[in-house]
Amino acid sequence: MTAAVIDRDTVPASAPPAPPAKRRRRSLDQPPRWQIFLPLGLYLLFTLIPFYWMLLFALREPGSDSLVPWPMTGQHFEKVWTERSFDTYFLNSTYVGIASMLMTMLVALSGGYALARFKFRLRMPFMLALLCSQFIPGALMLVPLFEIFRELQMLNSMWSVILAETVFQLPLSMILISGFIRNVPVSLEEAGWVDGCSRLRAFLAIVLPLLRPGLIAVGSFAFVHSWNHFLFALMFLNSQDKQTIPVGLNTLIGSDSVDLGALAAGGVIAAVPVVLVFAFIQKWLITGFSAGAVKG
């Protein structure tokens, strides 16, 4: 074989410069950016102004009318935390929120699995009844629930609020979790059964880890709903040492005057846990609702 001889003089010293990239033209069906950012900016401004106003009253000194909280003061937070018993309200709301969240997730998980994996008569009417129950306002059920808890001697007990919150959050939570379970192929469970796992063992080892985004989404909304709910705590709890934060905020509103600084500080204390919860779980929250939005 003969080797080809390449004349180095014929090889260019460097590649020719690439032609400048052409600017992509905007398609006719693509709206200009200002039509996107202007409504989003207005919505963001409309959302953030109330939070800024609340922080303004909470951080500026009493009697000040400045639009900038400077010099800052923490005496409003100290007042509501110590003098207005917000430390007790905070612990009570945390206890009610976590207990309601755990009970809702446990019962909704078992009910959602039954709706997703078992076929029985009246399954669709039952799911329709669950959905329709969401249109019933909680105020209509106050008198029956009050009578039930009075007969059970559960009035002025935080478990009455926990049970009431769990009952009202179960229908939607059960429907959501059943949708998440349908997205898990049943063949995965069948493989576990072939390997000798019971139905419970296969569910705990195979299905439950795949439901983590959905469970986080359902649990977060259950916690936030219990944290913010006012009516049940007001009706079923009489002792001040068992009240929750929404009822504590109501005590700051007097008949003749309102301490705006203390009320704003209490609102900040009530909003911080909710903001932190959604800040830490937003990734799993979006994943969970995306998983439950489609089937397959």
Side-chain angles (χ1 to χ4, degrees):
M1 297 177 62
T2 59
V5 179
I6 301 177
D7 188 0
R8 294 185 178 181
D9 295 335
T10 61
V11 179
S14 60
K22 294 183 178 180
R23 188 176 181 180
R24 294 183 60 186
R25 298 182 61 183
R26 181 174 57 87
S27 60
L28 296 178
D29 58 346
Q30 182 181 0
R33 290 190 174 184
W34 68 268
Q35 293 186 5
I36 300 175
F37 292 114
L38 180 61
L40 291 178
L42 293 176
Y43 176 76
L44 182 63
L45 187 65
F46 181 77
T47 305
L48 292 181
I49 284 179
F51 287 99
Y52 177 77
W53 205 251
M54 183 172 60
L55 287 173
L56 177 66
F57 279 93
L59 294 176
R60 74 182 183 184
E61 295 181 344
S64 174
D65 55 356
S66 174
L67 296 179
V68 179
W70 190 263
M72 295 184 182
T73 179
Q75 64 182 24
H76 297 302
F77 292 94
E78 182 180 359
K79 178 180 180 180
V80 298
W81 192 260
T82 56
E83 298 180 12
R84 297 289 188 163
S85 304
F86 260 66
D87 53 344
T88 303
Y89 300 151
F90 189 90
L91 293 177
N92 293 339
S93 292
T94 303
Y95 176 71
V96 170
I98 293 178
S100 301
M101 177 189 66
L102 294 178
M103 291 184 62
T104 300
M105 292 173 61
L106 180 62
V107 180
L109 191 61
S110 58
Y113 182 83
L115 291 175
R117 289 290 189 255
F118 298 109
K119 294 183 179 180
F120 52 89
R121 298 180 63 182
L122 302 179
R123 182 169 67 95
M124 295 307 297
F126 177 73
M127 294 188 66
L128 181 61
L130 289 178
L131 185 61
C132 293
S133 66
Q134 298 300 297
F135 298 101
I136 301 176
L140 293 180
M141 304 301 295
L142 279 178
V143 174
L145 288 175
F146 188 89
E147 291 295 325
I148 291 173
F149 291 141
R150 185 174 63 85
E151 293 294 332
L152 296 176
Q153 298 182 358
M154 293 182 62
L155 290 179
N156 202 29
S157 172
M158 283 191 288
W159 276 103
S160 60
V161 180
I162 293 171
L163 291 177
E165 295 288 350
T166 302
V167 168
F168 275 88
Q169 296 171 37
L170 267 179
L172 184 59
S173 300
M174 196 178 300
I175 293 174
L176 290 176
I177 289 184
S178 66
F180 299 140
I181 295 177
R182 288 193 189 96
N183 290 326
V184 179
V186 69
S187 58
L188 297 178
E189 287 185 86
E190 293 174 348
W193 301 341
V194 171
D195 291 338
C197 293
S198 62
R199 181 179 289 272
L200 178 60
R201 176 63 179 171
F203 173 77
L204 295 177
I206 299 174
V207 179
L208 188 59
L210 300 177
L211 297 178
R212 182 174 63 176
L215 289 176
I216 292 176
V218 171
S220 61
F221 274 96
F223 175 81
V224 171
H225 185 275
S226 301
W227 180 274
N228 293 328
H229 206 207
F230 169 76
L231 200 57
F232 291 153
L234 178 67
M235 294 298 299
F236 302 149
L237 301 176
N238 301 323
S239 302
Q240 184 179 359
D241 58 344
K242 296 181 180 180
Q243 297 288 1
T244 58
I245 279 186
V247 182
L249 288 173
N250 185 59
T251 60
L252 298 177
I253 303 176
S255 57
D256 300 327
S257 61
V258 179
D259 189 347
L260 293 179
L263 185 62
V268 172
I269 294 174
V272 164
V274 177
V275 173
L276 291 179
V277 165
F278 281 102
F280 281 107
I281 69 170
Q282 59 178 341
K283 178 177 66 176
W284 294 282
L285 191 66
I286 296 173
T287 305
F289 280 111
S290 299
V294 295
K295 181 180 180 181

